Amino acid sequence: EMTFKSDIEIAREARKQPIAQIGEKLGIPSEHLLPFGHDKAKISQDFIKAQAGRENGKLILVTAINPTPAGEGKTTTTVGLGDGLNAIGKNAAICIREPSLGPCFGMKGGAA
């Protein structure tokens, strides 16, 4: 019989990258990161204003999906897109507005 880890087990095993390392990958110098702990930060207004003359990037918005029987939905699709784009050499970052209730509360669904 095949067994799978629960969402909460997977979430607890995840290791976050330091925000300075993520900023470096995205071309954001550490002096323009205003950290909130070790794994999140705001970006300085000076850095944002300095980007005004650059060409706009692309946006993929994942807004609604019917989950698979395994529970794969918007979060899984979004993370997969980010990983896939990075794997083919694109400079991709993802932003998830609200985390799944699975890793947070050990349950599936949530109708946020």
Side-chain angles (χ1 to χ4, degrees):
E1 179 179 324
M2 190 178 281
T3 61
F4 297 96
K5 293 180 182 177
S6 69
D7 288 349
I8 193 74
E9 290 172 315
I10 294 168
R12 287 181 176 158
E13 289 177 3
R15 298 293 164 242
K16 299 176 190 175
Q17 295 178 352
I19 195 64
Q21 183 178 342
I22 294 168
E24 182 179 326
K25 178 181 177 271
L26 296 172
I28 305 169
S30 60
E31 62 267 18
H32 289 288
L33 294 173
L34 311 170
F36 289 83
H38 299 288
D39 55 12
K40 59 184 172 250
K42 290 187 177 184
I43 300 170
S44 76
Q45 191 65 33
D46 289 341
F47 182 80
I48 293 170
K49 287 178 182 176
Q51 307 309 302
R54 294 183 59 178
E55 182 181 339
N56 287 336
K58 308 266 189 302
L59 172 68
I60 300 172
L61 189 59
V62 179
T63 60
I65 192 169
N66 290 328
T68 69
E72 300 149 329
K74 293 184 296 294
T75 300
T76 304
T77 300
T78 300
V79 171
L81 280 168
D83 285 348
L85 289 167
N86 280 305
I88 62 170
K90 302 295 181 180
N91 189 10
I94 65 170
C95 178
I96 301 174
R97 180 182 58 92
E98 188 170 324
S100 169
L101 292 181
C104 296
F105 298 108
M107 59 190 244
K108 288 304 279 176

